[in-house]
Amino acid sequence: MKYRHISIILTFCLLLLSGCNSSPVSESISKNGIFFDTLISIKIWGTNDSSLLDDCFELCAKYENKFSRTVPNSEISKINQSGGSPVEVSDETIKLIKKSMDYSKLSDGAFDITIAPLSNLWDFKNNTGTIPSKTAIEDAKKHVNYKNIVINGNTVTLLDPHSALDLGGIAKGYIADRLKDFLIKNQVKHAMINLGGNVLTIGKKPDGTPFHIGIQKPFANQNETIASVPVADQSVVSSGIYERYFKKNDKIYHHLLDPFTGYPKENNLLSVTIISNSSADGDALSTVCYTLGLEKGMELINQLNNIEAIFITNDYQLHCSEKINDTILK
């Protein structure tokens, strides 16, 4: 399963609070590691219980072993290797596949988790400049169609035996949401979850002000931001063409594939950032809106409740949905 390696820079400005106890709210614990093919980090304020972080990382391992198409015995791998035979999977895998299909329907197929045949063909993780043949792309494209997914109870069947699932466009967001649920259940009131650029916050900063999430300037040095957004108890997810790509004959070929053409989507966008309550929603919508383009993507966002977006066009201009225009900090 491929995951976007999107660089979203987190900027913290924490004021020390008076009133000491065994774990002052201004003090924090954190843990970093590698999951989902990327660096992840979790930071919690107001507790010194490191077992919470350990439990979060155990959850990450659990979900990677369910959802990753590159883990041989994962539930998604079993579906992909079934040759069209029914495969029984867990409730959570069913839930995530159904949510993915909802976004496929919402976007008229612009978001499609059966993209795996094309993802495998382009292989942007390892590809340094090979453009697949037109014949190979056309053949792979034939097997991309979310309507070939049939769910019956906990059984998943791919009507096309050559089809395959890739949850890379939504899984990290879903997992971030589950980590947030776990931490809230354990009385955590201030936290930052960063799954390789899928950023999700719990509450505000301990001093009562919002977290400020920086948005990477496309093609600039890492940690160079073009804007930042203040958020509290929300998710920030970006999809951009500048993280996984190669250039050939002065043309950029990037990992955001168009299910309808089989090639990287060509429009005037460099990235899309989604601000939402659910990280799974943000994860899927960032891909959906990039594929739809600025006009149609913004039209979709304006129809949704509690979802905002920032589109960056190739002239490095920011185009923001209405409710966040005044909150962009350049």
Side-chain angles (χ1 to χ4, degrees):
M1 176 167 59
K2 291 186 179 292
Y3 292 93
R4 295 188 297 274
H5 296 80
I6 303 302
S7 298
I8 298 182
I9 298 84
L10 314 181
T11 58
F12 302 101
C13 186
L14 299 177
L15 300 178
L16 292 178
L17 304 182
S18 59
C20 295
N21 53 41
S22 59
S23 57
V25 71
S26 60
E27 295 184 0
S28 65
I29 57 174
S30 63
K31 185 172 182 177
N32 301 325
I34 301 292
F35 282 96
F36 326 120
D37 246 359
T38 191
L39 177 67
I40 74 169
S41 64
I42 302 172
K43 191 169 187 176
I44 305 171
W45 285 264
T47 180
N48 56 14
D49 184 0
S50 62
S51 69
L52 292 174
L53 295 171
D54 295 337
D55 289 342
C56 284
F57 274 62
E58 286 183 13
L59 284 172
C60 287
K62 165 192 166 184
Y63 286 121
E64 186 166 42
N65 286 322
K66 282 182 183 290
F67 302 148
S68 174
R69 67 184 175 91
T70 62
V71 174
N73 292 320
S74 74
E75 294 186 344
I76 295 304
S77 289
K78 290 177 181 178
I79 294 170
N80 291 346
Q81 297 163 7
S82 69
S85 299
V87 177
E88 187 170 351
V89 296
S90 64
D91 290 343
E92 285 191 293
T93 297
I94 291 293
K95 182 178 180 180
L96 185 52
I97 292 174
K98 284 183 175 180
K99 189 173 187 69
S100 301
M101 293 174 70
D102 287 342
Y103 274 108
S104 295
K105 295 170 185 175
L106 179 69
S107 64
D108 292 325
F111 180 85
D112 195 322
I113 61 168
T114 64
I115 195 77
L118 285 169
S119 300
N120 292 336
L121 184 64
W122 283 91
D123 189 19
F124 280 97
K125 180 181 177 182
N126 303 303
N127 193 342
T128 58
T130 301
I131 302 171
S133 69
K134 183 177 180 180
T135 300
I137 290 172
E138 288 299 317
D139 183 64
K141 192 177 68 172
K142 294 175 184 177
H143 307 298
V144 179
N145 188 342
Y146 73 94
K147 295 178 182 178
N148 285 326
I149 304 171
V150 175
I151 297 174
N152 184 10
N154 279 69
T155 298
V156 179
T157 305
L158 298 179
L159 297 180
D160 179 352
H162 300 291
S163 186
L165 306 184
D166 181 349
L167 296 178
I170 192 171
K172 282 197 300 180
Y174 177 88
I175 295 165
D177 289 334
R178 302 292 74 78
L179 295 177
K180 181 174 180 177
D181 291 343
F182 168 78
L183 291 175
I184 290 174
K185 183 179 179 180
N186 284 275
Q187 311 305 314
V188 172
K189 294 181 172 57
H190 311 279
M192 174 72 70
I193 300 164
N194 182 4
L195 303 187
N198 286 56
V199 179
L200 183 60
T201 64
I202 296 177
K204 298 180 179 180
K205 294 192 293 185
D207 65 2
T209 60
F211 291 98
H212 284 261
I213 311 302
I215 299 172
Q216 174 73 33
K217 183 178 181 180
F219 299 108
N221 293 329
Q222 191 171 5
N223 298 340
E224 184 178 347
T225 61
I226 194 170
S228 67
V229 289
V231 296
D233 221 33
Q234 286 182 301
S235 165
V236 180
V237 182
S238 293
S239 286
I241 70 172
Y242 50 88
E243 286 293 339
R244 270 195 284 136
Y245 71 95
F246 63 82
K247 184 179 287 189
K248 191 164 186 177
N249 298 325
D250 293 324
K251 181 175 181 178
I252 288 175
Y253 294 86
H254 58 82
H255 76 288
L256 294 173
L257 298 173
D258 186 339
F260 305 116
T261 68
Y263 288 86
K265 180 67 180 182
E266 293 191 46
N267 56 30
N268 66 338
L269 292 177
L270 298 179
S271 72
V272 178
T273 297
I274 302 294
I275 299 95
S276 58
N277 295 330
S278 160
S279 192
D281 291 336
D283 211 355
L285 283 169
S286 62
T287 301
V288 167
C289 289
Y290 184 88
T291 306
L292 291 177
L294 175 59
E295 184 176 342
K296 291 184 178 180
M298 191 69 80
E299 182 181 349
L300 173 61
I301 292 298
N302 289 334
Q303 295 172 2
L304 302 175
N305 295 325
N306 303 315
I307 307 282
E308 303 299 334
I310 303 166
F311 296 74
I312 302 177
T313 45
N314 54 14
D315 56 2
Y316 284 85
Q317 294 299 304
L318 275 62
H319 305 262
C320 307
S321 53
E322 183 177 352
K323 292 181 182 179
I324 61 170
N325 279 333
D326 294 333
T327 68
I328 296 297
L329 306 178
K330 296 184 179 180

